[in-house]
Amino acid sequence: FYETLRSTSPPKLKFPQRKQNNLNRTMNWFGKKKQAEPSTTASGSNGRGPNPANTIVRLRESISNQEKREEHTQKKVDNMIATAKAKMAKGDKKGALFAMKRKKLFEGELDKIQNVKMTLETQVITLESAAQNADTFKAMNAGKNAISKINDEIGIDKVDDLMEDMAEGMQTANDISDAIAQNVDPLADDDDLLAELEQMGADDLEAELLQAPSVNLPSVPDSKLPALNAEQEEMKQLEAELAGL
């Protein structure tokens, strides 16, 4: 009998589909580990840490909240001062003292808020500087890699070879220009031609001198000029007249 009971499997309980779903949901509540909720911390694109830009935004939001708390707490301090003055005016010293104690508490809270603001401002400035330094480093590193790549592609040996080839090419071009500019006229002996021209000029000049026409000069008269004789006669007459005076 006992062996028969052991060998006989208990009947399986069948539930409606809706009850089965509710049962599974209940088992998940108590038996299944709760899945981790996604973190609200802003992470960078590589997942290694928070994004500096998002972190700066959150810090500034925290600073804004602290400023609102500071303004609200300052109003409480001013309210407690007014309350203490009113209590003293009414002669309620106990109430005035209680208001002053509350004022001290609010002033201590103000000091804490200001310290928190200073810490947050310091973090913002430091984080902005660090982010700027990181961007600068990335830019400088990219520039270094670009320069290294260009240098690897060019190389000092290639530059030396290029300069040598350019010098050789320029020298060859000059040699070609000089060769093209050479005079190929076989009769272009300037010295001989100039000597020949000078000789030809001298021969022409000598021929012209030999062929020059003769010049007929007037003959010199043998007799005395009559004008000269008349002048002498006049002089003699003048001298005689002067002697008679």
Side-chain angles (χ1 to χ4, degrees), residues 148-162:
S148 298
K149 183 178 180 181
I150 293 173
N151 291 336
D152 292 339
E153 291 177 354
I154 297 176
I156 187 64
D157 295 335
K158 294 181 180 179
V159 174
D160 291 338
D161 295 339
L162 176 62

Side-chain angles (χ1 to χ4, degrees), residues 3 12 16 28 44 54 66 77 108 128-129 135 139 142 160 174 177 195-196 198 200 204:
E3 293 178 357
K12 296 182 180 180
N28 290 334
N54 295 336
Q66 294 299 322
V77 172
E128 287 178 344
S129 178
D135 292 338
D160 291 338
N174 292 332
S177 298
E196 185 176 354
E198 291 178 356
M200 290 174 62
D204 292 340

Side-chain angles (χ1 to χ4, degrees), residues 183-209:
N183 191 357
V184 296
D185 188 0
L187 301 177
D189 191 353
D190 295 341
D191 294 336
D192 294 341
L193 293 177
L194 289 174
E196 185 176 354
L197 287 173
E198 291 178 356
Q199 184 63 37
M200 290 174 62
D203 294 341
D204 292 340
L205 180 59
E206 184 179 359
E208 290 178 359
L209 291 175

Side-chain angles (χ1 to χ4, degrees), residues 82-126:
T83 301
K85 290 181 179 180
K87 295 288 185 181
M88 285 296 295
K90 293 179 180 180
D92 187 3
K93 293 183 179 181
K94 188 175 181 179
L97 182 61
F98 180 73
M100 292 301 293
K101 289 182 178 179
R102 293 187 65 188
K103 181 182 79 71
K104 290 292 183 183
L105 291 175
F106 292 141
E107 287 177 348
E109 188 67 18
L110 280 176
D111 292 337
K112 293 179 182 178
I113 293 173
Q114 291 174 357
N115 292 333
V116 172
K117 282 178 56 182
M118 181 60 64
T119 302
L120 293 173
E121 289 286 356
T122 304
Q123 285 185 333
V124 169
I125 294 173
T126 304

